[in-house]
PDB file of all heavy atoms in Angstrom:
ATOM      1  N   PRO A 248       0.872  -1.215  -0.045  1.00 97.00           N
ATOM      2  CA  PRO A 248       0.047  -0.021  -0.074  1.00 97.00           C
ATOM      3  C   PRO A 248       0.774   1.339   0.031  1.00 97.00           C
ATOM      4  O   PRO A 248       0.278   2.302  -0.367  1.00 97.00           O
ATOM      5  CB  PRO A 248      -0.849  -0.035   1.356  1.00 97.00           C
ATOM      6  CG  PRO A 248      -0.231  -1.164   2.134  1.00 97.00           C
ATOM      7  CD  PRO A 248       0.599  -2.115   1.259  1.00 97.00           C
ATOM      8  N   THR A 249       2.122   1.216   0.416  1.00 97.00           N
ATOM      9  CA  THR A 249       3.028   2.320   0.363  1.00 97.00           C
ATOM     10  C   THR A 249       4.146   1.774  -0.575  1.00 97.00           C
ATOM     11  O   THR A 249       5.150   1.244  -0.137  1.00 97.00           O
ATOM     12  CB  THR A 249       3.535   2.787   1.629  1.00 97.00           C
ATOM     13  OG1 THR A 249       2.490   3.090   2.482  1.00 97.00           O
ATOM     14  CG2 THR A 249       4.466   3.976   1.564  1.00 97.00           C
ATOM     15  N   ALA A 250       4.076   2.192  -1.857  1.00 97.00           N
ATOM     16  CA  ALA A 250       5.169   1.752  -2.796  1.00 97.00           C
ATOM     17  C   ALA A 250       6.193   2.753  -3.003  1.00 97.00           C
ATOM     18  O   ALA A 250       5.816   4.016  -3.062  1.00 97.00           O
ATOM     19  CB  ALA A 250       4.381   1.392  -4.089  1.00 97.00           C
ATOM     20  N   THR A 251       7.373   2.436  -2.946  1.00 97.00           N
ATOM     21  CA  THR A 251       8.513   3.422  -3.242  1.00 97.00           C
ATOM     22  C   THR A 251       9.358   2.992  -4.488  1.00 97.00           C
ATOM     23  O   THR A 251       9.459   1.811  -4.698  1.00 97.00           O
ATOM     24  CB  THR A 251       9.488   3.421  -2.026  1.00 97.00           C
ATOM     25  OG1 THR A 251       9.936   2.124  -1.570  1.00 97.00           O
ATOM     26  CG2 THR A 251       8.730   4.030  -0.749  1.00 97.00           C
ATOM     27  N   ILE A 252       9.545   4.004  -5.237  1.00 98.00           N
ATOM     28  CA  ILE A 252      10.274   3.791  -6.491  1.00 98.00           C
ATOM     29  C   ILE A 252      11.588   4.786  -6.421  1.00 98.00           C
ATOM     30  O   ILE A 252      11.440   5.930  -6.173  1.00 98.00           O
ATOM     31  CB  ILE A 252       9.464   4.222  -7.646  1.00 98.00           C
ATOM     32  CG1 ILE A 252       8.165   3.341  -7.751  1.00 98.00           C
ATOM     33  CG2 ILE A 252      10.349   4.354  -8.975  1.00 98.00           C
ATOM     34  CD1 ILE A 252       7.109   3.820  -8.807  1.00 98.00           C
ATOM     35  N   GLY A 253      12.667   4.065  -6.603  1.00 98.00           N
ATOM     36  CA  GLY A 253      13.956   4.853  -6.558  1.00 98.00           C
ATOM     37  C   GLY A 253      14.141   5.749  -7.734  1.00 98.00           C
ATOM     38  O   GLY A 253      13.850   5.425  -8.896  1.00 98.00           O
ATOM     39  N   LEU A 254      14.533   6.987  -7.578  1.00 98.00           N
ATOM     40  CA  LEU A 254      14.850   7.985  -8.641  1.00 98.00           C
ATOM     41  C   LEU A 254      16.285   8.296  -8.562  1.00 98.00           C
ATOM     42  O   LEU A 254      17.004   8.417  -7.522  1.00 98.00           O
ATOM     43  CB  LEU A 254      14.116   9.248  -8.198  1.00 98.00           C
ATOM     44  CG  LEU A 254      12.448   8.993  -8.155  1.00 98.00           C
ATOM     45  CD1 LEU A 254      11.900  10.428  -7.853  1.00 98.00           C
ATOM     46  CD2 LEU A 254      11.933   8.553  -9.502  1.00 98.00           C
ATOM     47  N   ALA A 255      17.020   8.404  -9.766  1.00 97.00           N
ATOM     48  CA  ALA A 255      18.258   8.790  -9.750  1.00 97.00           C
ATOM     49  C   ALA A 255      18.624   9.474 -11.178  1.00 97.00           C
ATOM     50  O   ALA A 255      17.918   9.358 -12.163  1.00 97.00           O
ATOM     51  CB  ALA A 255      19.187   7.502  -9.892  1.00 97.00           C
ATOM     52  N   GLY A 256      19.601  10.471 -10.955  1.00 97.00           N
ATOM     53  CA  GLY A 256      19.979  11.237 -12.070  1.00 97.00           C
ATOM     54  C   GLY A 256      21.242  11.985 -11.809  1.00 97.00           C
ATOM     55  O   GLY A 256      21.593  12.111 -10.589  1.00 97.00           O
ATOM     56  N   SER A 257      21.895  12.593 -12.846  1.00 96.00           N
ATOM     57  CA  SER A 257      23.056  13.344 -12.710  1.00 96.00           C
ATOM     58  C   SER A 257      22.776  14.680 -13.301  1.00 96.00           C
ATOM     59  O   SER A 257      22.527  14.774 -14.547  1.00 96.00           O
ATOM     60  CB  SER A 257      24.281  12.714 -13.298  1.00 96.00           C
ATOM     61  OG  SER A 257      24.737  11.606 -12.384  1.00 96.00           O
ATOM     62  N   GLY A 258      23.227  15.741 -12.716  1.00 93.00           N
ATOM     63  CA  GLY A 258      23.157  17.136 -13.175  1.00 93.00           C
ATOM     64  C   GLY A 258      24.540  17.316 -13.917  1.00 93.00           C
ATOM     65  O   GLY A 258      25.545  17.110 -13.260  1.00 93.00           O
ATOM     66  N   ILE A 259      24.501  17.799 -15.120  1.00 91.00           N
ATOM     67  CA  ILE A 259      25.790  18.046 -15.869  1.00 91.00           C
ATOM     68  C   ILE A 259      25.760  19.585 -16.383  1.00 91.00           C
ATOM     69  O   ILE A 259      24.726  20.056 -16.636  1.00 91.00           O
ATOM     70  CB  ILE A 259      26.017  17.115 -17.065  1.00 91.00           C
ATOM     71  CG1 ILE A 259      24.935  17.014 -18.068  1.00 91.00           C
ATOM     72  CG2 ILE A 259      26.247  15.549 -16.496  1.00 91.00           C
ATOM     73  CD1 ILE A 259      25.248  16.238 -19.270  1.00 91.00           C
ATOM     74  N   PRO A 260      26.823  20.107 -16.369  1.00 88.00           N
ATOM     75  CA  PRO A 260      26.888  21.493 -16.777  1.00 88.00           C
ATOM     76  C   PRO A 260      26.533  21.735 -18.249  1.00 88.00           C
ATOM     77  O   PRO A 260      26.687  20.900 -19.090  1.00 88.00           O
ATOM     78  CB  PRO A 260      28.328  22.017 -16.541  1.00 88.00           C
ATOM     79  CG  PRO A 260      29.165  20.714 -16.570  1.00 88.00           C
ATOM     80  CD  PRO A 260      28.202  19.601 -16.146  1.00 88.00           C
ATOM     81  N   HIS A 261      26.183  22.904 -18.525  1.00 88.00           N
ATOM     82  CA  HIS A 261      25.983  23.379 -19.863  1.00 88.00           C
ATOM     83  C   HIS A 261      27.354  23.411 -20.649  1.00 88.00           C
ATOM     84  O   HIS A 261      28.348  23.531 -19.881  1.00 88.00           O
ATOM     85  CB  HIS A 261      25.412  24.842 -20.055  1.00 88.00           C
ATOM     86  CG  HIS A 261      23.849  24.848 -19.600  1.00 88.00           C
ATOM     87  ND1 HIS A 261      22.901  24.505 -20.602  1.00 88.00           N
ATOM     88  CD2 HIS A 261      23.198  25.199 -18.639  1.00 88.00           C
ATOM     89  CE1 HIS A 261      21.787  24.596 -20.054  1.00 88.00           C
ATOM     90  NE2 HIS A 261      21.938  25.076 -18.771  1.00 88.00           N
ATOM     91  N   GLU A 262      27.384  23.245 -21.904  1.00 90.00           N
ATOM     92  CA  GLU A 262      28.685  23.386 -22.563  1.00 90.00           C
ATOM     93  C   GLU A 262      28.405  23.899 -23.847  1.00 90.00           C
ATOM     94  O   GLU A 262      27.309  23.770 -24.523  1.00 90.00           O
ATOM     95  CB  GLU A 262      29.455  22.236 -22.608  1.00 90.00           C
ATOM     96  CG  GLU A 262      28.914  21.025 -23.386  1.00 90.00           C
ATOM     97  CD  GLU A 262      29.807  19.672 -23.434  1.00 90.00           C
ATOM     98  OE1 GLU A 262      30.346  19.415 -22.496  1.00 90.00           O
ATOM     99  OE2 GLU A 262      29.734  19.160 -24.540  1.00 90.00           O
ATOM    100  N   VAL A 263      29.363  24.697 -24.392  1.00 93.00           N
ATOM    101  CA  VAL A 263      29.305  25.218 -25.776  1.00 93.00           C
ATOM    102  C   VAL A 263      30.398  24.516 -26.641  1.00 93.00           C
ATOM    103  O   VAL A 263      31.604  24.504 -26.126  1.00 93.00           O
ATOM    104  CB  VAL A 263      29.504  26.801 -25.845  1.00 93.00           C
ATOM    105  CG1 VAL A 263      29.697  27.212 -27.225  1.00 93.00           C
ATOM    106  CG2 VAL A 263      28.411  27.409 -24.998  1.00 93.00           C
ATOM    107  N   ASP A 264      30.020  23.868 -27.665  1.00 93.00           N
ATOM    108  CA  ASP A 264      30.957  23.177 -28.482  1.00 93.00           C
ATOM    109  C   ASP A 264      31.245  24.075 -29.795  1.00 93.00           C
ATOM    110  O   ASP A 264      30.252  24.398 -30.573  1.00 93.00           O
ATOM    111  CB  ASP A 264      30.399  21.804 -28.965  1.00 93.00           C
ATOM    112  CG  ASP A 264      30.297  20.887 -27.840  1.00 93.00           C
ATOM    113  OD1 ASP A 264      31.114  20.852 -26.980  1.00 93.00           O
ATOM    114  OD2 ASP A 264      29.178  20.205 -27.623  1.00 93.00           O
ATOM    115  N   LEU A 265      32.478  24.511 -29.941  1.00 94.00           N
ATOM    116  CA  LEU A 265      32.788  25.349 -31.069  1.00 94.00           C
ATOM    117  C   LEU A 265      33.650  24.597 -31.996  1.00 94.00           C
ATOM    118  O   LEU A 265      34.410  23.678 -31.450  1.00 94.00           O
ATOM    119  CB  LEU A 265      33.646  26.561 -30.628  1.00 94.00           C
ATOM    120  CG  LEU A 265      32.820  27.485 -29.651  1.00 94.00           C
ATOM    121  CD1 LEU A 265      33.931  28.580 -29.199  1.00 94.00           C
ATOM    122  CD2 LEU A 265      31.668  28.150 -30.362  1.00 94.00           C
ATOM    123  N   ASN A 266      33.542  24.783 -33.390  1.00 94.00           N
ATOM    124  CA  ASN A 266      34.357  24.282 -34.279  1.00 94.00           C
ATOM    125  C   ASN A 266      34.544  25.181 -35.470  1.00 94.00           C
ATOM    126  O   ASN A 266      33.540  25.956 -35.657  1.00 94.00           O
ATOM    127  CB  ASN A 266      34.090  22.754 -34.673  1.00 94.00           C
ATOM    128  CG  ASN A 266      32.734  22.682 -35.455  1.00 94.00           C
ATOM    129  OD1 ASN A 266      32.485  23.321 -36.425  1.00 94.00           O
ATOM    130  ND2 ASN A 266      31.768  22.005 -34.731  1.00 94.00           N
ATOM    131  N   TRP A 267      35.639  25.218 -36.119  1.00 93.00           N
ATOM    132  CA  TRP A 267      35.828  26.172 -37.197  1.00 93.00           C
ATOM    133  C   TRP A 267      36.810  25.586 -38.230  1.00 93.00           C
ATOM    134  O   TRP A 267      37.474  24.567 -38.048  1.00 93.00           O
ATOM    135  CB  TRP A 267      36.481  27.469 -36.650  1.00 93.00           C
ATOM    136  CG  TRP A 267      37.786  27.285 -35.960  1.00 93.00           C
ATOM    137  CD1 TRP A 267      39.059  27.362 -36.411  1.00 93.00           C
ATOM    138  CD2 TRP A 267      37.876  26.987 -34.535  1.00 93.00           C
ATOM    139  NE1 TRP A 267      39.910  27.097 -35.345  1.00 93.00           N
ATOM    140  CE2 TRP A 267      39.234  26.963 -34.222  1.00 93.00           C
ATOM    141  CE3 TRP A 267      37.023  26.876 -33.371  1.00 93.00           C
ATOM    142  CZ2 TRP A 267      39.752  26.578 -32.939  1.00 93.00           C
ATOM    143  CZ3 TRP A 267      37.474  26.605 -32.168  1.00 93.00           C
ATOM    144  CH2 TRP A 267      38.879  26.536 -31.924  1.00 93.00           C
ATOM    145  N   ASN A 268      36.787  26.142 -39.420  1.00 90.00           N
ATOM    146  CA  ASN A 268      37.709  25.789 -40.594  1.00 90.00           C
ATOM    147  C   ASN A 268      38.962  26.590 -40.492  1.00 90.00           C
ATOM    148  O   ASN A 268      38.771  27.791 -40.287  1.00 90.00           O
ATOM    149  CB  ASN A 268      36.969  25.953 -41.876  1.00 90.00           C
ATOM    150  CG  ASN A 268      35.747  24.944 -41.879  1.00 90.00           C
ATOM    151  OD1 ASN A 268      35.957  23.781 -41.461  1.00 90.00           O
ATOM    152  ND2 ASN A 268      34.735  25.373 -42.502  1.00 90.00           N
ATOM    153  N   PRO A 269      40.055  26.004 -40.701  1.00 87.00           N
ATOM    154  CA  PRO A 269      41.261  26.890 -40.801  1.00 87.00           C
ATOM    155  C   PRO A 269      41.143  27.806 -42.009  1.00 87.00           C
ATOM    156  O   PRO A 269      40.529  27.430 -42.999  1.00 87.00           O
ATOM    157  CB  PRO A 269      42.471  25.839 -41.040  1.00 87.00           C
ATOM    158  CG  PRO A 269      41.722  24.484 -41.108  1.00 87.00           C
ATOM    159  CD  PRO A 269      40.330  24.709 -40.922  1.00 87.00           C
ATOM    160  N   PRO A 270      41.719  28.934 -41.840  1.00 84.00           N
ATOM    161  CA  PRO A 270      41.759  30.010 -43.042  1.00 84.00           C
ATOM    162  C   PRO A 270      42.537  29.275 -44.159  1.00 84.00           C
ATOM    163  O   PRO A 270      43.446  28.764 -44.077  1.00 84.00           O
ATOM    164  CB  PRO A 270      42.314  31.248 -42.528  1.00 84.00           C
ATOM    165  CG  PRO A 270      43.027  30.767 -41.178  1.00 84.00           C
ATOM    166  CD  PRO A 270      42.464  29.530 -40.766  1.00 84.00           C
ATOM    167  N   SER A 271      41.954  29.647 -45.370  1.00 80.00           N
ATOM    168  CA  SER A 271      42.581  29.078 -46.654  1.00 80.00           C
ATOM    169  C   SER A 271      43.293  30.340 -47.229  1.00 80.00           C
ATOM    170  O   SER A 271      43.006  31.421 -47.040  1.00 80.00           O
ATOM    171  CB  SER A 271      41.531  28.589 -47.443  1.00 80.00           C
ATOM    172  OG  SER A 271      40.538  29.500 -47.818  1.00 80.00           O
ATOM    173  N   GLY A 272      44.253  29.869 -48.189  1.00 75.00           N
ATOM    174  CA  GLY A 272      45.029  30.841 -48.987  1.00 75.00           C
ATOM    175  C   GLY A 272      45.937  31.664 -48.038  1.00 75.00           C
ATOM    176  O   GLY A 272      46.154  32.956 -48.290  1.00 75.00           O
ATOM    177  N   ASN A 273      46.453  31.164 -47.048  1.00 68.00           N
ATOM    178  CA  ASN A 273      47.229  31.927 -46.146  1.00 68.00           C
ATOM    179  C   ASN A 273      48.734  31.581 -46.393  1.00 68.00           C
ATOM    180  O   ASN A 273      49.035  30.434 -46.475  1.00 68.00           O
ATOM    181  CB  ASN A 273      46.808  31.579 -44.642  1.00 68.00           C
ATOM    182  CG  ASN A 273      46.975  32.622 -43.687  1.00 68.00           C
ATOM    183  OD1 ASN A 273      47.601  33.717 -43.984  1.00 68.00           O
ATOM    184  ND2 ASN A 273      46.327  32.476 -42.542  1.00 68.00           N
ATOM    185  N   SER A 274      49.531  32.512 -46.376  1.00 75.00           N
ATOM    186  CA  SER A 274      50.929  32.293 -46.655  1.00 75.00           C
ATOM    187  C   SER A 274      51.770  32.157 -45.297  1.00 75.00           C
ATOM    188  O   SER A 274      52.839  31.732 -45.280  1.00 75.00           O
ATOM    189  CB  SER A 274      51.554  33.571 -47.298  1.00 75.00           C
ATOM    190  OG  SER A 274      51.328  34.687 -46.594  1.00 75.00           O
ATOM    191  N   VAL A 275      51.051  32.297 -44.166  1.00 77.00           N
ATOM    192  CA  VAL A 275      51.585  32.121 -42.814  1.00 77.00           C
ATOM    193  C   VAL A 275      51.324  30.719 -42.420  1.00 77.00           C
ATOM    194  O   VAL A 275      50.154  30.272 -42.496  1.00 77.00           O
ATOM    195  CB  VAL A 275      51.042  33.155 -41.876  1.00 77.00           C
ATOM    196  CG1 VAL A 275      51.518  33.063 -40.538  1.00 77.00           C
ATOM    197  CG2 VAL A 275      51.296  34.586 -42.440  1.00 77.00           C
ATOM    198  N   THR A 276      52.336  30.069 -41.648  1.00 86.00           N
ATOM    199  CA  THR A 276      52.091  28.841 -41.096  1.00 86.00           C
ATOM    200  C   THR A 276      51.486  29.026 -39.763  1.00 86.00           C
ATOM    201  O   THR A 276      51.975  29.761 -38.857  1.00 86.00           O
ATOM    202  CB  THR A 276      53.453  28.148 -40.856  1.00 86.00           C
ATOM    203  OG1 THR A 276      54.151  28.125 -42.092  1.00 86.00           O
ATOM    204  CG2 THR A 276      53.263  26.706 -40.349  1.00 86.00           C
ATOM    205  N   ILE A 277      50.226  28.368 -39.675  1.00 89.00           N
ATOM    206  CA  ILE A 277      49.493  28.563 -38.478  1.00 89.00           C
ATOM    207  C   ILE A 277      49.933  27.462 -37.347  1.00 89.00           C
ATOM    208  O   ILE A 277      50.047  26.372 -37.652  1.00 89.00           O
ATOM    209  CB  ILE A 277      47.881  28.257 -38.800  1.00 89.00           C
ATOM    210  CG1 ILE A 277      47.475  29.373 -39.629  1.00 89.00           C
ATOM    211  CG2 ILE A 277      47.137  28.262 -37.424  1.00 89.00           C
ATOM    212  CD1 ILE A 277      46.058  29.128 -40.271  1.00 89.00           C
ATOM    213  N   ALA A 278      50.308  27.958 -36.173  1.00 91.00           N
ATOM    214  CA  ALA A 278      50.774  27.245 -35.107  1.00 91.00           C
ATOM    215  C   ALA A 278      49.537  26.669 -34.211  1.00 91.00           C
ATOM    216  O   ALA A 278      49.662  25.669 -33.575  1.00 91.00           O
ATOM    217  CB  ALA A 278      51.855  27.791 -34.327  1.00 91.00           C
ATOM    218  N   GLY A 279      48.530  27.517 -34.187  1.00 93.00           N
ATOM    219  CA  GLY A 279      47.489  27.148 -33.226  1.00 93.00           C
ATOM    220  C   GLY A 279      46.426  28.261 -33.397  1.00 93.00           C
ATOM    221  O   GLY A 279      46.417  29.079 -34.259  1.00 93.00           O
ATOM    222  N   TYR A 280      45.352  28.155 -32.446  1.00 94.00           N
ATOM    223  CA  TYR A 280      44.280  29.077 -32.375  1.00 94.00           C
ATOM    224  C   TYR A 280      44.019  29.455 -30.977  1.00 94.00           C
ATOM    225  O   TYR A 280      44.209  28.631 -29.985  1.00 94.00           O
ATOM    226  CB  TYR A 280      43.017  28.373 -32.909  1.00 94.00           C
ATOM    227  CG  TYR A 280      43.193  27.750 -34.228  1.00 94.00           C
ATOM    228  CD1 TYR A 280      43.559  26.576 -34.599  1.00 94.00           C
ATOM    229  CD2 TYR A 280      42.851  28.693 -35.449  1.00 94.00           C
ATOM    230  CE1 TYR A 280      43.721  26.046 -35.821  1.00 94.00           C
ATOM    231  CE2 TYR A 280      43.069  28.181 -36.729  1.00 94.00           C
ATOM    232  CZ  TYR A 280      43.452  26.931 -36.986  1.00 94.00           C
ATOM    233  OH  TYR A 280      43.584  26.476 -38.241  1.00 94.00           O
ATOM    234  N   ASN A 281      43.729  30.773 -30.845  1.00 94.00           N
ATOM    235  CA  ASN A 281      43.373  31.293 -29.445  1.00 94.00           C
ATOM    236  C   ASN A 281      41.844  31.528 -29.506  1.00 94.00           C
ATOM    237  O   ASN A 281      41.334  32.240 -30.449  1.00 94.00           O
ATOM    238  CB  ASN A 281      43.929  32.610 -29.199  1.00 94.00           C
ATOM    239  CG  ASN A 281      45.474  32.373 -28.715  1.00 94.00           C
ATOM    240  OD1 ASN A 281      45.943  31.363 -28.316  1.00 94.00           O
ATOM    241  ND2 ASN A 281      46.217  33.442 -28.893  1.00 94.00           N
ATOM    242  N   VAL A 282      41.147  30.987 -28.488  1.00 95.00           N
ATOM    243  CA  VAL A 282      39.636  31.127 -28.488  1.00 95.00           C
ATOM    244  C   VAL A 282      39.264  32.302 -27.285  1.00 95.00           C
ATOM    245  O   VAL A 282      39.911  32.170 -26.159  1.00 95.00           O
ATOM    246  CB  VAL A 282      38.981  29.899 -28.166  1.00 95.00           C
ATOM    247  CG1 VAL A 282      37.372  30.171 -28.005  1.00 95.00           C
ATOM    248  CG2 VAL A 282      39.201  28.890 -29.105  1.00 95.00           C
ATOM    249  N   TYR A 283      38.556  33.296 -27.694  1.00 96.00           N
ATOM    250  CA  TYR A 283      38.269  34.308 -26.696  1.00 96.00           C
ATOM    251  C   TYR A 283      36.700  34.353 -26.459  1.00 96.00           C
ATOM    252  O   TYR A 283      36.019  34.164 -27.392  1.00 96.00           O
ATOM    253  CB  TYR A 283      38.593  35.695 -27.304  1.00 96.00           C
ATOM    254  CG  TYR A 283      40.183  35.862 -27.325  1.00 96.00           C
ATOM    255  CD1 TYR A 283      40.983  35.506 -28.479  1.00 96.00           C
ATOM    256  CD2 TYR A 283      40.796  36.578 -26.305  1.00 96.00           C
ATOM    257  CE1 TYR A 283      42.295  35.591 -28.526  1.00 96.00           C
ATOM    258  CE2 TYR A 283      42.219  36.692 -26.336  1.00 96.00           C
ATOM    259  CZ  TYR A 283      42.913  36.366 -27.389  1.00 96.00           C
ATOM    260  OH  TYR A 283      44.394  36.445 -27.605  1.00 96.00           O
ATOM    261  N   ARG A 284      36.415  34.679 -25.220  1.00 96.00           N
ATOM    262  CA  ARG A 284      34.942  34.827 -24.941  1.00 96.00           C
ATOM    263  C   ARG A 284      34.638  35.977 -24.172  1.00 96.00           C
ATOM    264  O   ARG A 284      35.464  36.483 -23.323  1.00 96.00           O
ATOM    265  CB  ARG A 284      34.616  33.576 -23.887  1.00 96.00           C
ATOM    266  CG  ARG A 284      33.136  33.572 -23.618  1.00 96.00           C
ATOM    267  CD  ARG A 284      32.857  32.432 -22.628  1.00 96.00           C
ATOM    268  NE  ARG A 284      33.094  32.827 -21.307  1.00 96.00           N
ATOM    269  CZ  ARG A 284      33.193  32.016 -20.247  1.00 96.00           C
ATOM    270  NH1 ARG A 284      32.758  30.655 -20.442  1.00 96.00           N
ATOM    271  NH2 ARG A 284      33.443  32.407 -19.025  1.00 96.00           N
ATOM    272  N   ALA A 285      33.480  36.725 -24.393  1.00 96.00           N
ATOM    273  CA  ALA A 285      33.023  37.894 -23.756  1.00 96.00           C
ATOM    274  C   ALA A 285      31.573  37.818 -23.464  1.00 96.00           C
ATOM    275  O   ALA A 285      30.907  37.052 -24.256  1.00 96.00           O
ATOM    276  CB  ALA A 285      33.186  39.075 -24.589  1.00 96.00           C
ATOM    277  N   PRO A 286      31.062  38.389 -22.394  1.00 95.00           N
ATOM    278  CA  PRO A 286      29.568  38.460 -22.258  1.00 95.00           C
ATOM    279  C   PRO A 286      28.990  39.158 -23.402  1.00 95.00           C
ATOM    280  O   PRO A 286      29.561  40.217 -23.905  1.00 95.00           O
ATOM    281  CB  PRO A 286      29.527  39.329 -20.984  1.00 95.00           C
ATOM    282  CG  PRO A 286      30.874  39.203 -20.192  1.00 95.00           C
ATOM    283  CD  PRO A 286      31.832  39.014 -21.230  1.00 95.00           C
ATOM    284  N   SER A 287      27.928  38.640 -23.997  1.00 94.00           N
ATOM    285  CA  SER A 287      27.317  39.185 -25.231  1.00 94.00           C
ATOM    286  C   SER A 287      27.138  40.684 -25.163  1.00 94.00           C
ATOM    287  O   SER A 287      26.597  41.128 -23.954  1.00 94.00           O
ATOM    288  CB  SER A 287      25.992  38.572 -25.445  1.00 94.00           C
ATOM    289  OG  SER A 287      26.177  37.233 -26.105  1.00 94.00           O
ATOM    290  N   GLY A 288      27.397  41.402 -26.174  1.00 90.00           N
ATOM    291  CA  GLY A 288      27.228  42.886 -26.099  1.00 90.00           C
ATOM    292  C   GLY A 288      28.337  43.567 -25.552  1.00 90.00           C
ATOM    293  O   GLY A 288      28.280  44.730 -25.472  1.00 90.00           O
ATOM    294  N   THR A 289      29.377  42.975 -25.180  1.00 93.00           N
ATOM    295  CA  THR A 289      30.404  43.657 -24.491  1.00 93.00           C
ATOM    296  C   THR A 289      31.593  43.532 -25.368  1.00 93.00           C
ATOM    297  O   THR A 289      31.701  42.640 -26.358  1.00 93.00           O
ATOM    298  CB  THR A 289      30.778  43.222 -23.062  1.00 93.00           C
ATOM    299  OG1 THR A 289      31.512  41.928 -23.143  1.00 93.00           O
ATOM    300  CG2 THR A 289      29.545  43.274 -22.266  1.00 93.00           C
ATOM    301  N   THR A 290      32.760  44.282 -25.107  1.00 91.00           N
ATOM    302  CA  THR A 290      34.083  43.992 -25.805  1.00 91.00           C
ATOM    303  C   THR A 290      35.188  43.467 -24.851  1.00 91.00           C
ATOM    304  O   THR A 290      36.267  43.438 -25.130  1.00 91.00           O
ATOM    305  CB  THR A 290      34.571  45.240 -26.439  1.00 91.00           C
ATOM    306  OG1 THR A 290      34.627  46.289 -25.487  1.00 91.00           O
ATOM    307  CG2 THR A 290      33.564  45.803 -27.630  1.00 91.00           C
ATOM    308  N   SER A 291      34.767  42.910 -23.635  1.00 94.00           N
ATOM    309  CA  SER A 291      35.748  42.520 -22.812  1.00 94.00           C
ATOM    310  C   SER A 291      36.037  41.079 -22.840  1.00 94.00           C
ATOM    311  O   SER A 291      35.678  40.072 -22.189  1.00 94.00           O
ATOM    312  CB  SER A 291      35.134  42.821 -21.194  1.00 94.00           C
ATOM    313  OG  SER A 291      33.902  42.196 -21.049  1.00 94.00           O
ATOM    314  N   TYR A 292      36.588  40.727 -24.063  1.00 96.00           N
ATOM    315  CA  TYR A 292      37.084  39.382 -24.372  1.00 96.00           C
ATOM    316  C   TYR A 292      38.120  38.811 -23.508  1.00 96.00           C
ATOM    317  O   TYR A 292      39.128  39.534 -23.111  1.00 96.00           O
ATOM    318  CB  TYR A 292      37.523  39.251 -25.863  1.00 96.00           C
ATOM    319  CG  TYR A 292      36.386  39.388 -26.703  1.00 96.00           C
ATOM    320  CD1 TYR A 292      35.893  40.506 -27.249  1.00 96.00           C
ATOM    321  CD2 TYR A 292      35.623  38.041 -27.167  1.00 96.00           C
ATOM    322  CE1 TYR A 292      34.723  40.541 -28.148  1.00 96.00           C
ATOM    323  CE2 TYR A 292      34.537  38.010 -27.941  1.00 96.00           C
ATOM    324  CZ  TYR A 292      34.088  39.221 -28.501  1.00 96.00           C
ATOM    325  OH  TYR A 292      33.079  39.342 -29.366  1.00 96.00           O
ATOM    326  N   GLN A 293      38.057  37.680 -22.863  1.00 95.00           N
ATOM    327  CA  GLN A 293      39.013  37.028 -22.281  1.00 95.00           C
ATOM    328  C   GLN A 293      39.511  35.687 -22.938  1.00 95.00           C
ATOM    329  O   GLN A 293      38.666  34.943 -23.554  1.00 95.00           O
ATOM    330  CB  GLN A 293      38.454  36.581 -20.800  1.00 95.00           C
ATOM    331  CG  GLN A 293      37.941  37.748 -20.019  1.00 95.00           C
ATOM    332  CD  GLN A 293      39.040  38.575 -19.422  1.00 95.00           C
ATOM    333  OE1 GLN A 293      40.056  37.940 -19.026  1.00 95.00           O
ATOM    334  NE2 GLN A 293      38.866  39.885 -19.446  1.00 95.00           N
ATOM    335  N   LEU A 294      40.762  35.453 -22.827  1.00 95.00           N
ATOM    336  CA  LEU A 294      41.289  34.199 -23.442  1.00 95.00           C
ATOM    337  C   LEU A 294      40.795  32.941 -22.751  1.00 95.00           C
ATOM    338  O   LEU A 294      41.055  32.813 -21.538  1.00 95.00           O
ATOM    339  CB  LEU A 294      42.896  34.243 -23.378  1.00 95.00           C
ATOM    340  CG  LEU A 294      43.594  33.076 -24.089  1.00 95.00           C
ATOM    341  CD1 LEU A 294      43.339  32.988 -25.616  1.00 95.00           C
ATOM    342  CD2 LEU A 294      44.939  33.138 -23.866  1.00 95.00           C
TER     343      LEU A 294
END
């Protein structure tokens, strides 16, 4: 008459997955990429 059902779950954070194409027609050898983020509408970009 008193039935119990176990509940389980895991909270996981939000994530943003970015991907891009390397620039083409470049004479410079690319060693890597720096990704910068700012709160939307601001110019306070942080590496």
Side-chain angles (χ1 to χ4, degrees):
T249 301
T251 56
I252 296 168
L254 304 176
S257 287
I259 57 172
H261 286 282
E262 66 179 39
V263 173
D264 295 317
L265 300 173
N266 62 66
W267 57 90
N268 295 320
S271 57
N273 216 340
S274 58
V275 178
T276 304
I277 295 171
Y280 303 91
N281 286 340
V282 179
Y283 292 86
R284 179 182 83 189
S287 284
T289 72
T290 55
S291 53
Y292 283 91
Q293 299 288 321
L294 181 66

